Amino acid sequence: MALKRGLSGVNRIRGSSGGSRSVLVLLIFFCVFAPLVFFVGRGVYIDSSNDYSNASVKQNLDWRERLAMQSVRSLFSKEVLDVIAASTADLGPLSLDSFKKKNLSASWREVGVDTSFRHSEQNQTTQDVKSNILNEKRDKTSKDGSHQKVETPAKIHRRQLRERRREMRANELVQHNDDTILKLENAAIERSKSVDSAVLGKYSIWRRENENDNSDSNIRLMRDQVIMARVYTGLAKLKNKNDLLQELQARLKDSQRVLAESTSDADLPRSAHEKLRAMGQVLAKAKMQLYDCKLVTGKLRAMLQTADEQVRSLKKQSTFLAQLAAKTIPNPIHCLSMRLTIDYYLLSPEKRKFPRSENLENPNLYHYALFSDNVLAASVVVNSTIMNAKDPSKHVFHLVTDKLNFGAMNMWFLLNPPGKATIHVENVDEFKWLNSSYCPVLRQLESAAMREYYFKADHPTSGSSNLKYRNPKYLSMLNHLRFYLPEVYPKLNKILFLDDDIIVQKDLTPLWEVNLNGKVNGAVETCGESFHRFDKYLNFSNPHIARNFNPNACGWAYGMNMFDLKEWKKRDITGIYHKWQNMNENRTLWKLGTLPPGLITFYGLTHPLNKSWHVLGLGYNPSIDRKDIENAAVVHYNGNMKPWLELAMSKYRPYWTKYIKFDHPYLRRCNLHE
């Protein structure tokens, strides 16, 4: 627009001054106007606004501006200068008014614009120029009556922001996808490292002292070299490369010897790096002569299958050994039992009696039933209960053991009486009413088929899944005596049954005040979303089981059970147990044990207790919350990793050992220590 107004002014001058001067004016105008428009506009504007006579303004102009002014004034008339001055007023940020409003220093006007300030002014100028252009286009469009859409700078800015946000979001999604894939891969790798073993796999994972990550790079490299050396050894035999075969075998023996003596890089001998280098050279040579993708793949697959068969065999063997260790008595505990037994039978008969025998049949006291052949385990149960009881004098312990441990159990509690509490020890073999004619399980245990199942090691069905049932506890009547509590204690109304692999951490007397709502058994339920339900323990392919029980019914735990003996007698619980035990003579309804027949016998007759009364799993589960353990009234080491065995998980063992006095003379003689 300024250019057009300038040209119109020149045309008016040309009309009044003649043709020759007009040509000259045009040439000079186009030659000097473009480079000097800033200075001319500034100087002309100042001179025209002040009538070209303000001396103070002229003094502020530097010599370049004054020179330009003199040259221009000699060429243009006052009318042309007025036109140019009017044109520069429309320059917006390039006009003098814009510069005056910025309050720029005189040094800037004299020397030039600072670099950073110049960049910011240029950006602002560019935006303002764009805004002016768009405004002019909008004005033109409105004048012409056009309906064409023109985007405003605000819309352009918003569109650019949206595009940037879309780009950032796309990058985030790509990054998130990569992270998710990486996490899934890592999780799959971790799962592949786990050993799916019933006992030994969990044992090696749980016990940190037996872990061997083999994270050392040189050891891993050497093992990889051994694998490839075995592959190429087979290929060398196949292709009759005898020289290469001998070289591979020699290097293979060296590497295997080093690996047999080292489990980490720190254990490697000084010559290990030389052996690694030599093996690498031989493998490179073998690769050049023998490598064939199909043959190498086949050899690796065969090695993998062989290794898998070896792992399965070792897994079965380790499971058997772990089960064997779980059902054996450690030497120190056996020593303790023998020493106590000898000393007991050296006592005179009058010294073998426990005090306060009158409390044994008092229904107003708190009675406990404990059936065990482990002296040390029974002592921990009694000690932990008494130490946490508010009034020990009201607690009565009924212990039943077998003939072999009867003397030891008596002698221990004669030497270590439980304070003011009452205790009584009985021998299960002296229960004359408990015989094979009355008890179905005794009759079945005496059968030839049952003896073969238990004692014939090469039985075709003796898989690892059945090994845990080959435990002497399933042959002992101590394990089945829990189904005959009213016969053993006919004058009691309620009794709390305890296993010998538990410890008590709180006073248990509030359990006698729990209302069982007409049920016989008070127990803590153990079912989760899909495990420890009836279908885990019972054979629902059998019509008798499928017809009478719900496969999704919730299981419960033995170990701490409150039994109402009055309701027991009223509902004939022992008769129900006998009925189902007779039906399971061929073990078609359930495997051996007492929990499956207990679930059947007390089906619909079990009152669920609060889970804080009884926390289970310390004999097999390494991930129990510590707070749950510490808040529990009873902690149960159910599983193979009993706290008195070397198999025990070290982090759970202190809960049990704190109730043992290891400085006791009998324990010291038998080398029993923490």
Side-chain angles (χ1 to χ4, degrees):
M1 297 293 294
L3 182 60
K4 289 180 179 180
R5 287 195 293 269
L7 291 177
S8 63
V10 172
N11 290 333
R12 287 195 300 272
I13 295 170
R14 184 178 59 186
S16 62
S17 303
S20 60
R21 186 173 178 181
S22 299
V23 175
L24 181 60
V25 169
L26 284 175
L27 290 176
I28 295 173
F29 177 78
F30 284 109
C31 290
V32 299
F33 179 80
L36 296 177
V37 64
F38 176 81
F39 299 106
V40 172
R42 181 179 177 184
V44 170
Y45 183 84
I46 293 171
D47 287 342
S48 60
S49 61
N50 294 280
D51 220 28
Y52 305 104
S53 61
N54 194 333
S56 62
V57 174
K58 289 183 180 180
Q59 292 177 358
N60 292 333
L61 300 176
D62 64 9
W63 64 272
R64 295 184 183 84
E65 293 177 87
R66 290 196 298 271
L67 181 60
M69 289 296 300
Q70 293 175 3
S71 301
V72 171
R73 286 173 183 171
S74 63
L75 297 174
F76 295 95
S77 65
K78 187 176 185 304
E79 291 81 5
V80 175
L81 294 177
D82 292 337
V83 172
I84 295 174
S87 300
T88 56
D90 296 333
L91 291 179
L94 294 178
S95 69
L96 186 61
D97 285 340
S98 176
F99 286 99
K100 284 183 177 180
K101 291 175 183 178
K102 303 289 184 185
N103 291 324
L104 301 181
S105 64
S107 61
W108 182 87
R109 290 193 298 268
E110 292 174 0
V111 180
V113 186
D114 177 78
T115 305
S116 59
F117 186 85
R118 183 168 61 246
H119 289 322
S120 63
E121 287 297 324
Q122 288 175 353
N123 293 335
Q124 181 65 32
T125 300
T126 304
Q127 293 178 1
D128 292 340
V129 170
K130 289 182 178 179
S131 177
N132 292 335
I133 294 173
L134 290 172
N135 290 332
E136 290 176 5
K137 288 184 177 180
R138 192 183 300 109
D139 295 340
K140 182 178 179 181
T141 303
S142 61
K143 289 179 181 178
D144 296 339
S146 173
H147 297 284
Q148 181 181 357
K149 273 191 174 183
V150 179
E151 290 186 339
T152 63
K155 289 185 178 180
I156 295 173
H157 183 63
R158 286 197 296 270
R159 185 179 69 251
Q160 291 174 350
L161 287 177
R162 286 196 297 270
E163 291 174 355
R164 282 199 292 270
R165 282 198 294 268
R166 290 193 196 101
E167 184 177 1
M168 291 173 61
R169 181 59 179 163
N171 293 334
E172 289 175 0
L173 291 174
V174 172
Q175 182 66 28
H176 178 70
N177 189 40
D178 294 340
D179 294 342
T180 303
I181 293 173
L182 183 60
K183 288 179 181 178
L184 291 174
E185 291 175 351
N186 292 335
I189 291 171
E190 291 300 323
R191 285 195 299 271
S192 68
K193 291 179 181 177
S194 62
V195 180
D196 184 18
S197 172
V199 176
L200 183 67
K202 295 177 180 177
Y203 171 66
S204 64
I205 291 173
W206 293 345
R207 292 182 65 109
R208 284 194 167 275
E209 56 266 34
N210 293 324
E211 291 182 356
N212 184 12
D213 294 335
N214 291 320
S215 58
D216 300 272
S217 58
N218 290 329
I219 289 288
R220 293 202 308 270
L221 175 59
M222 189 169 287
R223 288 179 175 176
D224 291 342
Q225 287 182 340
V226 167
I227 293 173
M228 292 309 301
R230 288 176 178 172
V231 172
Y232 286 128
T233 298
L235 296 180
K237 289 180 182 178
L238 185 64
K239 296 187 177 182
N240 295 322
K241 300 284 186 178
N242 295 326
D243 294 339
L244 184 58
L245 175 62
Q246 293 178 1
E247 193 172 358
L248 283 168
Q249 288 175 341
R251 297 301 179 190
L252 186 59
K253 288 181 181 178
D254 290 342
S255 297
Q256 289 175 333
R257 191 179 300 112
V258 172
L259 289 174
E261 299 172 354
S262 306
T263 57
S264 65
D265 283 359
D267 300 330
L268 291 174
R270 294 182 179 179
S271 60
H273 293 284
E274 294 294 334
K275 296 182 186 300
L276 283 169
R277 189 180 300 107
M279 176 64 89
Q281 294 173 354
V282 175
L283 290 176
K285 181 179 177 181
K287 182 177 181 181
M288 292 178 61
Q289 298 184 25
L290 303 173
Y291 184 79
D292 181 273
C293 183
K294 187 175 181 180
L295 291 176
V296 171
T297 303
K299 186 66 177 176
L300 287 172
R301 185 180 293 111
M303 291 174 62
L304 182 62
Q305 292 174 351
T306 302
D308 185 58
E309 292 175 0
Q310 291 176 349
V311 168
R312 290 185 181 181
S313 176
L314 291 173
K315 177 181 173 181
K316 184 177 179 180
Q317 182 182 2
S318 63
T319 303
F320 172 78
L321 293 174
Q323 294 287 349
L324 183 63
K327 63 186 181 183
T328 55
I329 298 295
N331 283 336
I333 296 180
H334 179 69
C335 166
L336 176 65
S337 180
M338 293 298 100
R339 286 182 178 274
L340 291 169
T341 301
I342 294 171
D343 292 346
Y344 175 76
Y345 288 107
L346 293 177
L347 293 175
S348 58
E350 57 271 11
K351 291 183 178 180
R352 298 178 184 177
K353 296 180 180 179
F354 290 99
R356 295 181 288 275
S357 59
E358 66 277 4
N359 293 335
L360 295 177
E361 296 180 348
N362 186 349
N364 297 321
L365 300 179
Y366 305 114
H367 294 266
Y368 300 85
L370 175 60
F371 307 148
S372 175
D373 58 359
N374 188 324
V375 177
L376 190 63
S379 71
V380 170
V381 175
V382 174
N383 290 346
S384 63
T385 305
I386 295 302
M387 290 176 64
N388 293 283
K390 293 181 179 179
D391 188 358
S393 63
K394 294 183 178 181
H395 295 260
V396 181
F397 293 91
H398 301 267
L399 270 70
V400 180
T401 187
D402 55 13
K403 180 171 55 177
L404 183 63
N405 294 280
F406 178 72
M409 198 74 72
N410 276 279
M411 189 64 187
W412 177 264
F413 288 105
L414 286 170
L415 293 173
N416 306 280
K420 296 180 180 181
T422 302
I423 194 164
H424 181 61
V425 181
E426 295 181 272
N427 182 2
V428 68
D429 297 313
E430 295 179 356
F431 295 160
K432 301 304 180 183
W433 52 268
L434 197 62
N435 50 55
S436 57
S437 61
Y438 175 66
C439 180
V441 71
L442 270 179
R443 183 175 64 253
Q444 294 168 9
L445 291 175
E446 292 174 357
S447 67
M450 189 69 72
R451 287 198 299 269
E452 181 183 8
Y453 178 82
Y454 272 109
F455 299 110
K456 192 172 181 180
D458 58 347
H459 196 277
T461 62
S462 60
S464 60
S465 62
N466 293 325
L467 288 175
K468 67 178 181 178
Y469 300 111
R470 301 172 183 273
N471 194 315
K473 71 178 183 179
Y474 296 120
L475 297 174
S476 173
M477 270 310 297
L478 288 176
N479 198 42
H480 296 269
L481 192 61
R482 65 192 68 190
F483 293 103
Y484 300 94
L485 289 175
E487 285 87 341
V488 181
Y489 311 109
K491 295 185 179 181
L492 299 181
N493 297 327
K494 275 189 174 183
I495 195 165
L496 183 64
F497 172 79
L498 298 177
D499 272 343
D500 63 355
D501 55 351
I502 64 104
I503 59 169
V504 178
Q505 301 185 127
K506 293 182 179 180
D507 182 35
L508 299 181
T509 54
L511 281 171
W512 274 264
E513 300 175 1
V514 174
N515 184 6
L516 298 182
N517 297 315
K519 305 295 179 65
V520 179
N521 175 27
V524 171
E525 294 182 335
T526 57
C527 60
E529 294 181 358
S530 61
F531 56 94
H532 288 187
R533 297 184 182 272
F534 271 44
D535 58 353
K536 175 181 174 63
Y537 305 100
L538 305 177
N539 178 19
F540 275 86
S541 63
N542 186 288
H544 295 291
I545 298 295
R547 190 164 51 245
N548 291 280
F549 304 101
N550 178 7
N552 294 320
C554 192
W556 46 268
Y558 270 125
M560 189 212 72
N561 305 81
M562 176 59 71
F563 290 112
D564 187 334
L565 300 184
K566 283 187 175 181
E567 284 292 329
W568 185 306
K569 297 173 186 176
K570 186 186 299 185
R571 296 176 181 271
D572 190 21
I573 296 299
T574 303
I576 297 174
Y577 165 69
H578 284 171
K579 169 192 171 183
W580 286 99
Q581 191 68 51
N582 284 322
M583 294 173 63
N584 193 48
E585 186 169 1
N586 296 323
R587 300 185 305 280
T588 57
L589 304 184
W590 68 84
K591 299 289 185 181
L592 296 176
T594 55
L595 182 56
L599 296 175
I600 289 177
T601 302
F602 296 102
Y603 182 67
L605 299 174
T606 300
H607 175 76
L609 299 176
N610 189 288
K611 292 184 181 296
S612 63
W613 280 110
H614 188 189
V615 170
L616 300 102
L618 276 73
Y620 69 91
N621 185 1
S623 58
I624 302 175
D625 193 340
R626 183 177 177 180
K627 291 182 179 179
D628 292 341
I629 297 175
E630 294 176 351
N631 293 331
V634 171
V635 172
H636 196 171
Y637 291 84
N638 58 313
N640 286 327
M641 300 178 188
K642 303 299 184 186
W644 56 82
L645 299 175
E646 290 296 325
L647 293 172
M649 285 181 276
S650 57
K651 69 176 182 177
Y652 296 149
R653 201 164 185 266
Y655 296 107
W656 187 80
T657 56
K658 72 179 181 180
Y659 295 106
I660 300 176
K661 295 180 179 180
F662 287 98
D663 58 348
H664 194 283
Y666 278 88
L667 300 186
R668 287 206 310 266
R669 289 177 202 164
C670 293
N671 294 321
L672 262 167
H673 50 78
E674 294 185 66

